[in-house]
Amino acid sequence: MRSPLHYLFLLAMAALPASSARAADRPPFYPVFQFPADKIPRIDGDPSDWDIVPDSYAIGMDQLTNDATPNQQPDPKKLDVKVKVGWVKGENRLYFLYQAYKDYWDFGQSGLHNDIFELVVDGDRSGGKFIARWRPDLNVPEFDAFFSMQGVTAQNYHIFTPAMNKDWCMAWGPQQWLKEFPYANHAAKYSFRPGEGGKLVLEFYITPFDLASPDGPEKSKVSQLTENKIIGVSWAVMDYRGPQTENHAFWNLASDPAKFAPPAANGTPSRVLAGHTMYGDADLLMPFKLMPLDPLFQKTFAAQWTFKVADMSKRLVAFQDQSVGQITGWHWDFGDKTTSEEQNPQHTYADPGNYIVSLEITGPAGKARFERVWDVTVK
């Protein structure tokens, strides 16, 4: 059975005008699948947890542009990549499933000569340049800027695909804690050796930060991920082809895929696509939307509510209905022998205490009740 959300991505694609440029037919946003709280993917390299994610969420090579040769068509016999992105309401993590086939995997050397999945995330879409080489004040030494601005407002991860005898990724900045648990986790499965072909499965999650301080996570601000929020995300697949050369393809998911960067100061035309510099310019990232829970995983009729103490000096509590389904009536029991039939009532308690509060809803599907024990406490 297909849900309405399953078709949202496809409808967005179909609504766009045709274009002859590679990877130009992109949707207004890429959807990020919301996992139910009881189906959070395990980070173990087994993609079966992602079977519930429709293929319409997958982003493949057709959405990428090789910055070196923009009109090049990808050859799935040499390189084929598919990426799915997910999130969980209440967590501030982005989950990724990276599945790739290559006829020649290059990962046997030390350093950055390695097949790489380069990921850039801007959790609040604040935009702007975030690497030291593009510091606004060139009078500031580059490595001073590295420790003051690199990776602060957006984060860049060079993820080795796969990593052999090295850390799983390079977090490009002084915030090395970004790639460590609990802010990130990873697992990969493959059976090939350097220079061979085969399939790689990589699962990981990262935590985006509005402000990632070089002084540590305790001085940083985690991005708050909520339903329907738009965040900035882009990535590039760096495809190396042997130890004899440092040249590599740069298959890029970034804005302006068919436009070249501005000319140099001396007027020399640029040979670099504008989107190539997404690795340090968050203005070039693509919009990704944190989708609501798919209706297939939602309860059709259930009572739920939350509350906030509006004024503790008056013992005034505001209650908010969060029930789902077709509802015709609400009955609140505030635990002090008083009740209300309002949907979102406010209640003033006469005495301090811990209260057992319940909400019962009615509708065509029947009745449902939800109770909180001693959550509501006033003094």
Side-chain angles (χ1 to χ4, degrees), residues 205-256:
Y205 71 74
I206 56 96
T207 304
F209 281 80
D210 293 350
L211 188 153
S213 172
D215 295 326
E218 64 279 357
K219 295 186 178 181
S220 301
K221 181 181 178 182
V222 176
S223 301
Q224 299 301 305
L225 303 184
T226 55
E227 283 186 2
N228 297 313
K229 182 178 182 179
I230 303 289
I231 62 175
V233 179
S234 282
W235 57 70
V237 177
M238 299 168 67
D239 177 18
Y240 284 84
R241 288 281 160 176
Q244 297 81 15
T245 177
E246 289 301 313
N247 293 331
H248 59 272
F250 196 88
W251 291 94
N252 191 0
L253 177 74
S255 63
D256 294 332

Side-chain angles (χ1 to χ4, degrees), residues 18-19 29 70 128 169 183 215 229 290 343:
S19 172
F29 62 83
C169 80
Y183 306 106
D215 295 326
K229 182 178 182 179
L290 305 176
Q343 181 179 3

Side-chain angles (χ1 to χ4, degrees), residues 314-377:
K314 297 179 181 179
R315 305 190 190 99
L316 176 64
V317 181
F319 296 90
Q320 182 179 0
D321 172 43
Q322 294 182 327
S323 304
V324 295
Q326 187 176 349
I327 303 168
T328 57
W330 296 262
H331 178 78
W332 294 85
D333 185 333
F334 298 121
D336 61 352
K337 299 182 180 180
T338 62
T339 62
S340 173
E341 308 302 316
E342 297 181 30
Q343 181 179 3
N344 299 300
Q346 290 190 344
H347 180 65
T348 300
Y349 286 92
D351 301 306
N354 309 106
Y355 291 93
I356 300 173
V357 180
S358 65
L359 168 63
E360 184 176 89
I361 59 172
T362 57
K367 295 183 178 182
R369 185 175 182 274
F370 184 74
E371 176 182 277
R372 294 186 183 272
V373 179
W374 287 12
D375 287 17
V376 180
T377 302

Side-chain angles (χ1 to χ4, degrees), residues 42-371:
R42 297 179 301 276
I43 305 301
D44 57 5
D46 180 354
S48 61
D49 291 340
W50 293 75
D51 289 347
I52 64 173
V53 182
D55 285 340
S56 57
Y57 282 80
I59 301 173
M61 293 295 295
D62 63 304
Q63 295 296 297
L64 307 185
T65 300
N66 185 358
D67 288 357
T69 52
N71 293 320
Q72 179 183 354
Q73 297 292 324
D75 183 352
K77 294 181 180 179
K78 291 185 175 181
L79 174 66
D80 195 20
V81 173
K82 181 171 71 174
V83 182
K84 291 182 178 180
V85 189
W87 75 294
V88 178
K89 189 175 182 179
E91 291 186 347
N92 294 313
R93 295 171 174 173
L94 292 174
Y95 291 82
F96 290 83
L97 174 64
Y98 180 88
Q99 296 175 293
Y101 169 81
K102 279 192 68 179
D103 65 334
Y104 183 100
W105 287 97
D106 193 342
F107 63 104
Q109 300 187 71
S110 65
L112 285 173
H113 186 118
N114 202 114
D115 290 328
I116 289 174
F117 178 58
E118 183 177 5
L119 172 68
V120 182
V121 178
D122 181 0
D124 61 358
R125 294 193 82 194
S126 55
K129 295 176 173 59
F130 60 92
I131 62 173
R133 71 179 62 166
W134 294 328
R135 58 201 181 279
D137 185 356
L138 294 179
N139 292 317
V140 175
E142 184 169 345
F143 271 92
D144 287 351
F146 179 85
F147 284 96
S148 65
M149 67 169 285
Q150 182 125 351
V152 172
T153 56
Q155 292 80 53
N156 179 308
Y157 301 81
H158 282 57
I159 301 167
F160 301 114
T161 53
M164 186 175 75
N165 301 324
K166 64 179 71 172
D167 205 352
W168 75 285
C169 80
M170 178 193 75
W172 196 17
Q175 310 90 341
Q176 294 306 305
W177 46 269
L178 284 169
K179 61 180 178 179
E180 305 294 342
F181 188 84
Y183 306 106
N185 200 4
H186 62 96
K189 285 189 177 181
Y190 62 95
S191 59
F192 48 81
R193 293 178 296 181
E196 296 180 344
K199 182 178 179 180
L200 169 71
V201 176
L202 171 66
E203 278 188 293
F204 66 95
Y205 71 74
I206 56 96
T207 304
F209 281 80
D210 293 350
L211 188 153
S213 172
D215 295 326
E218 64 279 357
K219 295 186 178 181
S220 301
K221 181 181 178 182
V222 176
S223 301
Q224 299 301 305
L225 303 184
T226 55
E227 283 186 2
N228 297 313
K229 182 178 182 179
I230 303 289
I231 62 175
V233 179
S234 282
W235 57 70
V237 177
M238 299 168 67
D239 177 18
Y240 284 84
R241 288 281 160 176
Q244 297 81 15
T245 177
E246 289 301 313
N247 293 331
H248 59 272
F250 196 88
W251 291 94
N252 191 0
L253 177 74
S255 63
D256 294 332
K259 296 179 182 179
F260 285 93
N266 62 6
T268 302
S270 173
R271 292 182 177 274
V272 177
L273 289 176
H276 178 80
T277 53
M278 62 83 189
Y279 58 80
D281 187 349
D283 289 340
L284 299 173
L285 305 186
M286 300 300 293
F288 278 65
K289 184 175 182 178
L290 305 176
M291 301 302 291
L293 191 64
D294 192 294
L296 292 175
F297 302 108
Q298 295 180 11
K299 294 181 179 179
T300 57
F301 185 73
Q304 182 59 265
W305 57 272
T306 188
F307 73 97
K308 181 179 181 180
V309 178
D311 190 334
M312 184 62 81
S313 66
K314 297 179 181 179
R315 305 190 190 99
L316 176 64
V317 181
F319 296 90
Q320 182 179 0
D321 172 43
Q322 294 182 327
S323 304
V324 295
Q326 187 176 349
I327 303 168
T328 57
W330 296 262
H331 178 78
W332 294 85
D333 185 333
F334 298 121
D336 61 352
K337 299 182 180 180
T338 62
T339 62
S340 173
E341 308 302 316
E342 297 181 30
Q343 181 179 3
N344 299 300
Q346 290 190 344
H347 180 65
T348 300
Y349 286 92
D351 301 306
N354 309 106
Y355 291 93
I356 300 173
V357 180
S358 65
L359 168 63
E360 184 176 89
I361 59 172
T362 57
K367 295 183 178 182
R369 185 175 182 274
F370 184 74
E371 176 182 277

